[in-house]
Structures are given as structure tokens and as C-alpha cells.
């Protein structure tokens, strides 16, 4: 602080008269000289030559003339300089350090301008430190550091204030400005209050005034040192005015911030008080749930989730609405459920995807036997995603018969890239709300199953499987397939809006996969968004391998057995495949293996026998008589009977076509539950034969009694196993050969199977299901198969071991089948 000479004297006397209440050793310094004597002493010493004084380096402190202040010293040099001052005239030269970090400063670490002060009091504090009371008299400049050991001793030039008798307008204006700014500063900083303002009124000298004001300010050492080093009065006032203006600006900003913080604290205190009152009221009413705690939990969740702005605003709006409701309101529970539903979604949580295609290939191979083309297409899909960095392009749709592993392939894809897997079955779904959710206006409304699956996955980028997409339905409640259009479109699902949630959720990071048994029933717009990957049925050899590697070990373990209790030989597995299951996949095969394991487990528990070997004979004993049989062709020749091939949902099958001719009126009778398309194939075959009846290919001639067959004869075409519905155009060529065999009397070979659609001109058109049909022919013992010419490319899909054992005949016209199927002579 800076005081007038009279006030300084009073303060020093008061300090010297004080008693030490804490048993601190107090050394009082007798001093009979007044301030004028101190100044006279310095002036006389200056006139006699330069003043030499002990010097103390101050750390983090700068002092100005006119100040009376305490500071502590503990460094050895400083203590010895103080002792030297006390041993002479009690004068000491105080210099500020340039950096507080320097522990043992040298001359270069000190400022050149400091303050000459007189020691008024010493207090020896605990810990060997000394508290010093000094009276700062005049500024001085370091001329020469005479010594730095054992303490600093400096030769200094005392810079006395010049007389200022006249009033200069510029300086007077500066004096008024700094006084006015100091009053503003004091109001903001509250450093001295009224006493400080009063202390700066008495100095008339501009230099003394500047020192007094700077001494009262709480500013940096560098700023005070700037004032100390400025000798010219006017420049000193200007520098001080700039510092005051800067400090006022900073303090104003601090005051504004403090005011805002105080207002917020007051608001929080008010809210806390009101919450406590509300809690007390709820306790009195017996309300168990604390709404405030729930809201606080929601806000913490929102902060943690980093919700999109639109979603956060929606949730906040619902929370505000809840706070204004009565606690017993039914709408309150609806809002609670709604807010919890939003906050449970993984808005910004993603699983790190691992695109190691070599590892993905290993996982796919270990999980599935065969399906090479499917695996290759999946790896291509993953490679594109890895390179592009985004899931774009068509949605994968795995199409194939039941039990071939479509769902497990999707699981393996998720496993191979390290993502979560979620599954939604669309079979029988007819309500659009199942997909998009119910609006909250309905009682019991909930989010759609898509958002529920995302919530269960706890990540916004899972592998999402829509199973049985071909069995989705539609009724008066809406069309779920149309709702799926938005979900499966990468351009639209970035902002998928569930009817219940009413806020957009980004589904573009989700990898969608669909499965179906047949694409014919999938709506065209939906199918257009998907890339179909055919998952074919397994061959018998593949089923045997799958059973040996996966199904048998799995069921042995699940039924509490061990390989030491039971073994299956290959013959037993083949018998299960051929006579107890008829399917393209392996689902029923696994059930029959499980059935055998259960029966074996029962025997193991009830008898002493601990090991069972399952063979062909054992299978029939455990499972009973055979459920299915295959048509085994033994090479017989019959008139009017030909062998065709059919595709069914469980794989291929052989199909016999029988034709009989009888007196009548040109009618056609079709039996065996034939569909419309198959009936049309029969009519087309008869029309073709009528058109070439007078000039049959390969020298064939219609029997004389059948010359007018279209007038006086009736045809009866029958396909055995009449309880099974049959349809499709692929039996056209088979029907044609059966009719020709009947009309010409030539027997047809049973050991040749054929398939192909026939036209009125006798052309053979391509058909589907070639792989399954050929496998069925091979299973029946047939080694010669006739196919449409345009189906030649499908032969590559047939397993190599089967392809090598079968002779393929490619047909462009029906006439080309005649030499292979019909015998040259009638059967005797």
C-alpha cells in the first residue's frame, strides 16, 4: 500500500507497538529518524558519491516508492543482505527478478531499476524464514553490482522526483483521467475501498500520484516494473492510464461472467429448493417414483449419447411436457416409455468392422461345407465394401430351398466381419406397423420390430437379416413390403422414421441381408432393390460330408453322449439321406440324427452297454420302416410311358408321363393334379403332332387305326402320384414323346430322362432347376439325360462327380429326341 508521510509514520508506530500473540520472535528496530531524515541521508550520500547498499532479489514482487509492505525472505543471500543492512543504516536496495522460476538469480536475472527501502521490522518465523516490514523511499537504478557473494551489494543511482511547482494542462488532464479510472478500477477490483480512493487524493506531484495508484493495484510484476522504470512524469501517467484501461476492460468481463454464474447459481438453488419441496410433497402423497431423479438420469443419458440436435429437442420437449403433468396422469407413463425408447437406441455407437477377407474365407469354410459360389459372391461383396468404405449397392438376397443354410450364411457373414447379428422373420407379417411401428395415439403403441432389433443389437451397424421375405403378406392394415422399400434403399434409409419414435434414425450403416425360398412371390419393387444369390440344394455327397463334419458331432454333444458312446458309419448316413429324408437341405437329416442319438441315450442309461455303432441295419431298427423311396429305372421299355424330370421345393424328382388312347370324339383328359401351365403343354404337344402327322420326323408313322385320332379317339394323359400337385412347362417334351410312343406303337426307353418346354412348332425352350433335376435322375440310376440346347450353360453347375457319369443330349427341336427315346420296332 502507498500512504502519505503522516499516515506511513502512524502505521509504522502501530506495527512496532504490536505484541506477538503467536510466540514469534519479534525484533523491533528503534528508529528516531523521520522520513525527511531518510531523504536527507540519501541525498547527502548521493552528493558524496554513488550510494552502495545491500541488495535483495524479490521473486514475484515489485515495489514502488511510497509503499509500506511485508514480504518473507528465506534464501541465504537475502538473509545476509538483510543482516548487513541492519548492521549499518537499515537501508536496502530491492530488485525484482525477471522470472520467478530462477532459484538462485544472477545479475542478468534482475531488473536494472528497483527501490531503495528502509527496514522497519523483522519477524523470525518458524522454518528459518524472516518476515520483513519495509518503508519504500525512492526508485534507484543499478549502476554496478559490486559483489554477489555472500550477498548482493550494489552501487545505485537514486532518482529523486523533480519539483513540480507549475501546473501543466496536459499533465493535469492525465492526473484527472488516472484518478477517474482508478475509482472505476477500485469499484470492480475492490482492492482498497474508500481508504485507497482517499489516499490518492492528497498527492499533487504527478510522479508520486502515479506511484501511489500503481502501488494500490493488483497487477502483474511486469506492469508495476514498467511504471517503476518510467522516469518522466507524463510518460508514467500515460503508461499507468493504459494499464488501468486494460484492467478495467478485463475486470468488466470478469464481473459480467461472475454475474451470469451467480444468476445461474441462484436459478439452480431456486430449482433445488423447489425440487426439495416437490419431493416432500410426493413423499406425503406416497408417490414412489422421483421424477427429478428420472429427469436427471435422462439428461445424463442424452449427454452421453450425443443425440442429433433434432432428436435432443424432441426429447427435451417431451420432458418439459412431463414436468407439467400430474403425477397420476396416464399420459405421463406414455411419455416415460417414449423417452426411454429413444434413449435406449445406439445413436452413435458402432462396432468396429474387421475386413480381413482371408479370415472371412476361413470362417465361411469352417461354418459351411460346399456353397462355393455363394461364398465367393459374399467375399466379393465384402471386398467392395472394404474398398468403397460404405455399404452401397443392392441388398443381398439368399434364395434357395429350406434347410440349405441361408440363415447360417448370414450369421457367418456377421461373424467374419466382427459385427453384431440380428434376425427378423417376415413370414406371415401383414401389418405395416410391424415394420414401422404404431403411432403414439394408439393405446399400447410400441416401436416397430426394426428399431427393436437395433436396440437389442446395441450398435447402429449390425448385420440385419430379414428372413422369409417371400412370405410377407398384405391386408387392410397396410403393405409391409412397401414399408421395407425405404428400409432397404441406401438412398432413403439414412433418415428412417419409425411411426412411434417420430425422429429420423440412420440405417445406412446397417448391412441388410434377406432370404427367400422363391423369388416369384417377392413384390417386384422390393426384388429390384436386392441382388439374388442362388443357394442350391446339397448333393448326396455334400450331405454326407455335412453330416459327418457338423451334424453328427453336434447332436452327439447336445444329447449328452460322447464319441466313445456312439459312432455313425457312412452307410447309415446315406440311408438316412435316401430313405428317411427328402429335402434339398439338411434340416430333417439333423432331426433324424438327433432322434437316433436320443434313442441311443435312453439305451445307454437303461442298459450296461456303453457303446453303439450305427449302421444301415441299425437305422431301420431305430427309426422304423423307410419313409421314402426313389424310382429306380431298370431299363424297361413301355409304349406310352416316358421319364421326365421335375423341380420341387425339396429338390429334383423323376416324373413319369403315361398316355392312353381310346375310342371317343377327339377329347383330352388330364389327371394327376396338373396345373394350368402343364395342361397347356399337353395341348401344345398334341397340336404339334397333328401339324406334322403326315410327315413325322425320323420315319415315324402313326398306326392306321389312329390316323383320325383327333376325330374318333380320346387321349388320357396321366402323371402318377396324383396326390401331389404338379405344374410348369418343363414336361412338354416328355409329354410329346409319350403321345408319339402311343400313336406309333413304338416303346419308349425308361432309362432316358428329359426336360424342356415345347412350342407349337416343336421347338424346345430352356427351363429351370437343371442341377436338381439331373441329380434326381442320377439318384434314380439314369445315365442319359436330354436337356434344351439353351440350358447347356447350366451343366457346369452340376457336381463334377455326377457330371462325368451322365451323358447329356442337347435338344433344339422335339424331333431330335425321337432317335434316343423311341425304339425302332414295336415291342413284341
Amino acid at each position: 500500500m502507498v500512504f502519505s508521510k503522516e499516515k506511513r509514520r502512524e502505521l509504522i508506530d502501530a506495527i512496532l507497538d504490536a505484541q506477538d500473540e503467536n510466540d514469534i520472535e519479534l525484533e523491533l528496530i528503534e528508529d528516531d529518524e523521520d522520513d525527511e531524515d531518510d531523504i536527507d541521508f540519501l541525498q547527502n550520500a548521493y552528493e558524496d558519491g554513488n550510494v552502495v547498499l545491500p541488495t535483495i532479489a524479490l521473486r514475484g514482487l515489485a515495489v514502488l516508492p511510497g509503499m509500506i509492505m511485508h514480504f518473507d525472505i528465506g534464501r541465504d543471500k537475502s538473509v545476509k543482505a538483510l543482516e548487513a543492512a541492519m548492521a549499518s543504516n537499515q537501508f536496502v536496495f530491492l530488485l525484482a527478478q525477471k522470472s520467478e522460476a530462477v532459484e538462485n538469480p544472477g545479475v542478468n536475472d534482475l531488473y536494472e531499476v528497483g527501490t531503495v527501502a528502509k527496514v522497519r521490522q523483522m519477524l523470525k518465523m518458524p522454518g528459518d524464514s524472516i518476515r520483513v516490514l519495509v518503508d519504500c523511499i525512492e526508485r534507484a537504478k543499478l549502476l554496478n553490482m559490486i559483489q554477489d557473494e555472500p550477498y548482493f551489494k550494489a552501487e545505485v543511482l537514486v532518482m529523486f522526483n523533480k519539483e513540480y511547482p507549475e501546473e501543466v494542462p496536459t499533465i493535469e488532464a492525465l492526473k484527472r483521467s488516472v484518478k477517474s479510472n482508478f475509482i472505476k478500477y477500485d469499484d470492480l477490483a475492490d482492492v482498497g475501498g474508500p481508504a485507497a480512493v482517499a489516499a490518492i487524493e492528497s498527492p499533487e506531484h504527478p510522479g508520486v500520484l502515479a506511484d501511489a495508484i500503481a502501488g494500490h493495484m493488483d497487477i502483474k510484476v511486469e506492469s508495476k516494473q514498467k511504471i517503476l522504470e518510467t522516469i518522466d512524469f507524463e510518460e508514467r501517467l500515460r503508461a499507468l492510464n493504459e494499464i488501468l484501461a486494460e484492467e478495467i476492460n478485463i475486470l468488466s468481463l470478469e464481473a459480467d461472467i461472475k454475474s451470469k454464474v451467480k444468476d445461474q447459481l441462484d436459478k439452480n438453488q431456486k430449482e433445488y429448493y423447489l425440487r426439495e419441496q416437490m419431493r416432500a410433497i410426493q413423499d406425503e402423497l406416497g408417490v414412489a417414483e422421483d421424477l427429478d431423479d428420472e429427469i436427471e438420469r435422462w439428461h445424463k443419458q442424452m449427454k452421453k449419447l450425443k443425440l442429433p440436435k433434432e432428436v435432443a429437442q424432441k426429447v427435451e420437449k417431451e420432458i418439459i411436457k412431463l414436468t407439467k403433468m400430474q403425477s397420476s396422469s396416464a399420459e405421463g407413463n406414455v411419455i416415460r416409455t417414449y423417452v426411454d425408447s429413444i434413449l435406449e437406441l445406439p445413436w452413435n455407437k458402432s462396432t468396429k468392422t474387421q475386413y480381413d477377407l482371408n479370415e472371412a474365407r476361413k470362417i465361411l469354410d469352417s461354418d459351411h461345407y460346399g456353397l462355393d459360389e455363394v461364398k465367393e459372391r459374399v467375399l466379393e461383396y465384402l471386398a467392395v465394401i472394404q474398398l468403397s468404405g460404405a455399404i452401397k449397392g443392392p441388398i443381398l438376397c439368399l434364395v434357395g430351398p429350406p434347410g440349405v443354410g441361408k440363415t447360417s450364411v448370414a450369421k457367418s457373414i456377421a461373424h467374419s466381419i466382427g459385427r453384431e447379428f440380428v434376425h427378423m422373420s417376415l413370414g406371415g407379417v401383414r401389418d405395416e406397423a410391424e415394420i414401422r411401428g404404431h403411432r403414439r395415439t394408439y393405446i399400447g403403441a410400441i416401436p416397430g420390430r426394426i428399431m427393436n432389433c437395433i436396440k437389442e443389437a446395441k450398435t447402429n451397424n449390425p448385420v440385419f437379416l430379414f428372413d422369409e421375405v417371400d412370405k410377407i403378406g398384405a391386408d387392410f392394415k397396410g403393405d409391409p413390403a412397401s414399408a421395407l422399400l425405404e428400409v432397404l434403399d441406401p438412398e432413403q434409409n439414412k433418415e428412417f422414421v419409425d411411426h412411434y419414435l417420430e425422429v429420423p434414425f440412420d440405417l445406412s450403416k446397417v448391412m441388410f441381408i434377406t432370404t427367400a425360398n422363391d423369388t416369384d412371390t417377392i413384390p417386384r419393387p422390393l426384388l429390384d432393390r436386392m441382388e439374388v444369390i442362388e443357394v442350391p440344394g446339397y448333393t448326396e455327397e455334400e450331405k454326407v460330408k455335412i453330416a459327418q463334419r457338423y451334424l453328427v458331432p453336434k447332436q452327439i454333444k447336445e444329447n449328452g453322449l460322447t464319441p466313445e458312446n456312439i459312432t455313425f458309419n457312412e452307410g447309415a448316413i446315406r440311408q438316412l439321406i435316401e430313405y428317411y429324408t427328402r429335402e434339398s437341405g439338411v434340416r430333417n437329416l439333423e432331426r433324424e440324427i438327433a432322434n437316433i442319438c436320443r434313442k441311443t441315450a435312453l439305451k445307454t442309461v437303461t442298459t450296461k452297454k456303453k457303446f453303439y455303432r450305427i449302421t444301415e441295419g441299425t437305422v431301420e431298427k431305430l427309426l422304423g420302416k423307410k419313409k421314402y423311396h426313389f424310382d429306380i429305372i431298370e431299363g424297361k421299355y413301355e409304349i406310352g410311358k416316358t421319364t421326365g424330370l421335375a423341380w420341387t421345393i425339396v429338390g429334383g424328382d423323376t416324373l413319369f408321363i403315361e398316355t392312353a388312347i381310346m375310342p371317343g370324339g377327339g377329347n383330352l383328359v388330364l389327371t394327376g393334379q396338373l396345373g394350368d401351365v402343364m395342361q397347356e403343354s399337353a395341348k401344345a404337344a398334341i397340336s404339334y403332332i397333328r401339324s406334322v402327322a403326315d410327315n413325322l420326323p425320323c420315319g415315324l408313322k402313326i398306326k392306321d387305326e389312329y390316323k383320325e385320332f383327333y376325330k374318333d379317339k380320346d387321349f388320357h394323359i396321366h402323371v402318377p402320384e396324383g396326390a401331389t400337385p404338379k405344374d410348369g412347362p418343363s414336361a412338354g417334351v416328355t409329354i410329346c414323346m409319350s403321345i408319339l410312343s402311343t400313336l406309333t406303337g413304338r416303346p419308349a426307353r425308361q432309362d432316358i430322362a428329359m426336360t424342356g418346354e415345347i412350342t407349337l412348332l416343336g421347338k424346345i425352350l430352356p427351363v429351370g432347376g437343371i442341377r436338381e433335376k439331373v441329380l434326381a435322375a442320377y439318384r434314380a440310376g439314369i445315365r442319359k439325360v436330354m436337356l434344351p440346347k439353351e440350358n447347356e450353360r447350366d451343366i457346369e453347375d452340376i457336381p463334377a462327380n455326377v457330371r462325368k457319369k451322365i451323358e447329356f443330349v442337347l435338344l433344339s427341336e422335339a424331333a431330335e429326341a425321337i432317335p434316343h427315346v423311341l425304339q425302332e420296332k414295336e415291342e413284341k
Side-chain angles (χ1 to χ4, degrees):
M1 296 293 182
V2 178
F3 302 95
S4 64
K5 292 181 179 179
E6 295 78 7
K7 186 66 178 177
R8 289 164 63 196
R9 187 71 261 174
E10 293 176 5
L11 181 60
I12 292 170
D13 291 340
I15 293 174
L16 294 175
D17 292 338
Q19 299 296 321
D20 182 20
E21 298 178 357
N22 297 316
D23 296 329
I24 298 175
E25 185 178 350
L26 176 64
E27 181 178 343
L28 298 179
I29 304 164
E30 297 297 334
D31 182 26
D32 296 331
E33 298 178 353
D34 58 15
D35 294 336
E36 294 295 338
D37 294 334
D38 294 336
I39 297 297
D40 291 342
F41 169 80
L42 291 175
Q43 287 177 340
N44 293 333
Y46 179 71
E47 291 172 358
D48 293 339
N50 294 328
V51 180
V52 178
L53 296 174
T55 301
I56 295 177
L58 302 179
R59 183 159 49 179
L61 181 65
V63 295
L64 290 161
M67 297 178 67
I68 294 178
M69 61 179 301
H70 281 106
F71 59 83
D72 294 340
I73 60 174
R75 292 186 288 197
D76 188 54
K77 278 188 178 183
S78 300
V79 172
K80 290 181 177 178
L82 181 62
E83 291 174 348
M86 299 308 297
S88 58
N89 50 26
Q90 302 174 14
F91 282 100
V92 68
F93 183 42
L94 304 177
L95 275 178
Q97 288 183 205
K98 294 177 181 178
S99 171
E100 291 186 45
V102 179
E103 180 65 29
N104 297 307
V107 177
N108 294 331
D109 297 317
L110 304 175
Y111 287 106
E112 291 185 357
V113 180
T115 304
V116 176
K118 189 170 185 179
V119 181
R120 298 296 187 184
Q121 183 191 42
M122 291 172 56
L123 292 175
K124 293 183 179 179
M125 306 293 289
D128 298 330
S129 64
I130 298 174
R131 178 162 295 174
V132 182
L133 175 67
V134 295
D135 183 6
C136 301
I137 300 172
E138 287 292 351
R139 61 176 39 80
K141 183 176 181 181
L142 175 65
L143 295 178
N144 182 29
M145 189 65 74
I146 297 174
Q147 70 174 45
D148 57 2
E149 292 294 342
Y151 58 87
F152 287 122
K153 181 185 287 187
E155 181 182 2
V156 302
L157 172 64
V158 182
M159 294 178 284
F160 299 99
N161 284 323
K162 295 180 181 179
E163 295 294 331
Y164 180 69
E166 71 281 356
E167 293 184 358
V168 179
T170 306
I171 294 179
E172 289 300 319
L174 284 171
K175 286 170 62 178
R176 293 182 185 183
S177 179
V178 296
K179 286 181 180 180
S180 175
N181 283 336
F182 179 72
I183 292 172
K184 293 179 184 178
Y185 170 84
D186 187 63
D187 288 340
L188 293 170
D190 194 22
V191 292
V197 175
I200 68 167
E201 291 296 334
S202 55
E204 293 294 333
H205 193 287
V208 176
L209 176 65
D211 291 342
I213 291 176
H216 280 91
M217 293 175 66
D218 183 14
I219 56 179
K220 296 179 180 178
V221 172
E222 291 81 1
S223 298
K224 284 191 175 182
Q225 187 66 30
K226 182 179 180 181
I227 300 299
L228 188 62
E229 292 177 354
T230 306
I231 307 303
D232 183 77
F233 303 150
E234 184 175 348
E235 291 300 321
R236 193 184 306 174
L237 287 171
R238 290 185 189 278
L240 179 61
N241 215 16
E242 290 177 2
I243 294 172
L244 279 168
E246 184 179 350
E247 290 294 318
I248 288 170
N249 185 36
I250 294 172
L251 290 170
S252 297
L253 293 174
E254 287 182 356
D256 186 41
I257 294 171
K258 287 179 181 178
S259 176
K260 291 180 180 178
V261 171
K262 184 177 182 301
D263 291 343
Q264 186 63 40
L265 288 174
D266 291 343
K267 180 182 178 182
N268 292 340
Q269 288 175 349
K270 181 180 179 181
E271 290 178 355
Y272 175 77
Y273 176 72
L274 292 174
R275 286 196 199 98
E276 290 299 317
Q277 282 188 323
M278 190 179 295
R279 186 179 284 108
I281 294 170
Q282 289 174 344
D283 291 341
E284 289 296 323
L285 293 175
V287 179
E289 188 174 12
D290 190 343
L291 178 60
D292 293 330
D293 292 341
E294 193 171 21
I295 292 174
E296 184 179 356
R297 174 175 60 83
W298 284 338
H299 281 129
K300 287 181 179 178
Q301 282 183 274
M302 289 171 64
K303 186 176 181 181
K304 184 178 180 180
L305 289 172
K306 298 179 181 178
L307 297 176
K309 184 178 179 181
E310 180 182 351
V311 179
Q313 290 175 347
K314 179 72 174 177
V315 174
E316 195 63 45
K317 183 179 178 182
E318 294 295 326
I319 292 175
I320 293 173
K321 189 189 299 183
L322 180 63
T323 58
K324 296 179 180 178
M325 290 182 179
Q326 295 182 359
S327 58
S328 59
S329 173
E331 181 69 14
N333 291 329
V334 174
I335 293 176
R336 284 184 172 90
T337 304
Y338 174 76
V339 173
D340 283 333
S341 297
I342 287 183
L343 298 182
E344 287 173 355
L345 291 173
W347 292 92
N348 292 298
K349 183 180 180 182
S350 300
T351 302
K352 186 177 181 181
T353 305
Q354 302 292 336
Y355 290 114
D356 186 343
L357 297 188
N358 292 327
E359 184 65 23
R361 186 185 295 274
K362 290 179 182 178
I363 292 172
L364 289 171
D365 288 339
S366 64
D367 292 347
H368 301 87
Y369 181 83
L371 303 179
D372 294 333
E373 292 185 9
V374 177
K375 295 175 185 177
E376 193 66 26
R377 182 62 190 88
V378 168
L379 292 172
E380 291 171 2
Y381 181 70
L382 296 179
V384 171
I385 294 175
Q386 181 180 356
L387 292 175
S388 63
I391 301 175
K392 292 186 177 180
I395 306 299
L396 292 185
C397 180
L398 305 177
V399 177
V404 295
K406 299 184 296 295
T407 301
S408 61
V409 166
K411 289 181 180 179
S412 295
I413 292 173
H415 181 203
S416 65
I417 61 177
R419 290 196 184 185
E420 296 295 326
F421 176 80
V422 287
H423 169 271
M424 176 179 173
S425 178
L426 296 175
V429 173
R430 295 179 177 272
D431 189 353
E432 180 195 1
E434 292 280 333
I435 305 296
R436 301 186 67 105
H438 302 80
R439 298 195 181 278
R440 284 195 291 157
T441 52
Y442 295 99
I443 296 175
I446 57 173
R449 289 171 63 186
I450 290 178
M451 299 313 298
N452 275 330
C453 289
I454 295 293
K455 181 180 70 175
E456 292 172 6
K458 298 180 181 179
T459 175
N460 61 8
N461 64 339
V463 173
F464 199 124
L465 175 66
F466 287 115
D467 209 358
E468 310 293 352
V469 72
D470 57 325
K471 297 177 180 61
I472 197 168
D475 60 11
F476 66 93
K477 295 180 181 179
D479 184 5
S482 298
L484 278 179
L485 293 178
E486 179 187 359
V487 177
L488 297 180
D489 191 340
E491 299 300 325
Q492 299 182 49
N493 61 17
K494 293 179 181 178
E495 295 185 345
F496 174 73
V497 178
D498 185 277
H499 286 160
Y500 177 83
L501 299 177
E502 298 177 334
V503 290
F505 189 91
D506 186 3
L507 293 177
S508 63
K509 299 178 182 177
V510 179
M511 181 185 290
F512 289 105
I513 300 175
T514 63
T515 68
N517 296 130
D518 188 11
T519 58
D520 292 340
T521 56
I522 301 176
R524 293 300 99 181
L526 189 58
L527 184 62
D528 185 56
R529 284 166 167 77
M530 300 185 291
E531 179 176 341
V532 175
I533 299 178
E534 296 287 345
V535 184
Y538 295 112
T539 65
E540 181 178 323
E541 295 300 323
E542 288 175 336
K543 289 181 181 180
V544 170
K545 296 295 183 183
I546 291 170
Q548 291 175 333
R549 295 185 185 184
Y550 304 102
L551 305 184
V552 170
K554 177 183 175 183
Q555 290 304 322
I556 288 176
K557 182 179 180 181
E558 289 187 358
N559 288 279
L561 300 171
T562 65
E564 287 73 27
N565 299 130
I566 184 172
T567 60
F568 286 74
N569 70 5
E570 185 175 321
I573 295 174
R574 290 187 183 275
Q575 190 164 6
L576 287 174
I577 294 170
E578 293 175 359
Y579 300 109
Y580 290 89
T581 63
R582 178 169 286 186
E583 57 179 346
S584 294
V586 292
R587 191 170 290 152
N588 288 324
L589 175 59
E590 184 175 6
R591 291 194 186 102
E592 295 301 337
I593 292 172
N595 193 2
I596 291 175
C597 289
R598 287 195 301 272
K599 294 180 182 298
T600 305
L602 176 62
K603 289 185 177 182
T604 302
V605 173
T606 56
T607 67
K608 295 182 179 180
K609 189 176 180 180
K610 300 300 180 182
F611 175 74
Y612 293 87
R613 180 177 177 81
I614 307 302
T615 62
E616 295 93 321
T618 310
V619 169
E620 193 162 354
K621 289 180 182 178
L622 292 174
L623 300 182
K625 62 182 180 179
K626 298 174 182 178
K627 297 180 181 179
Y628 303 103
H629 72 278
F630 290 100
D631 298 319
I632 304 299
I633 306 300
E634 298 177 352
K636 292 183 179 180
Y637 301 88
E638 292 186 35
I639 295 176
K641 184 177 181 181
T642 53
T643 305
L645 296 172
W647 179 91
T648 69
I649 197 170
V650 296
D653 199 1
T654 53
L655 195 70
F656 295 108
I657 307 292
E658 298 176 348
T659 302
I661 192 168
M662 61 204 76
N667 299 317
L668 174 64
V669 179
L670 299 167
T671 56
Q673 285 205 56
L674 306 186
D676 292 339
V677 177
M678 201 165 181
Q679 291 182 29
E680 290 173 358
S681 294
K683 294 175 183 177
I686 291 176
S687 296
Y688 163 68
I689 293 172
R690 284 185 61 185
S691 67
V692 296
D694 296 333
N695 189 21
L696 288 175
C698 300
L700 289 179
K701 293 188 179 294
I702 296 177
K703 286 184 175 182
D704 293 338
E705 63 264 31
Y706 299 151
K707 289 289 185 181
E708 302 290 330
F709 66 87
Y710 51 88
K711 291 181 180 180
D712 56 5
K713 302 294 180 183
D714 287 345
F715 280 99
H716 186 166
I717 299 176
H718 176 69
V719 182
E721 296 186 14
T724 305
K726 309 166 191 74
D727 201 4
S730 63
V733 66
T734 312
I735 294 173
C736 180
M737 292 299 107
S738 176
I739 296 171
L740 277 176
S741 174
T742 304
L743 290 174
T744 61
R746 289 193 178 188
R749 291 185 61 175
Q750 307 293 292
D751 60 347
I752 296 179
M754 66 199 86
T755 184
E757 181 180 355
I758 192 169
T759 70
L760 285 174
L761 300 178
K763 303 293 182 183
I764 304 299
L765 302 182
V767 293
I770 297 298
R771 182 178 187 272
E772 288 78 9
K773 292 176 179 178
V774 172
L775 290 177
Y778 178 77
R779 198 163 46 231
I782 295 172
R783 295 299 180 263
K784 189 173 185 178
V785 176
M786 293 192 291
L787 304 174
K789 175 70 174 177
E790 294 184 33
N791 283 119
E792 183 177 6
R793 62 183 183 275
D794 296 317
I795 296 177
E796 293 299 321
D797 297 335
I798 300 169
N801 63 320
V802 175
R803 190 169 63 240
K804 292 176 181 178
K805 297 178 181 178
I806 290 183
E807 178 187 352
F808 294 98
V809 179
L810 301 176
L811 307 175
S812 297
E813 297 182 358
E816 297 173 1
I818 293 174
H820 299 279
V821 179
L822 302 182
Q823 293 292 94
E824 293 184 1
K825 295 182 180 180
E826 296 183 15
E827 187 179 26
K828 300 292 185 181

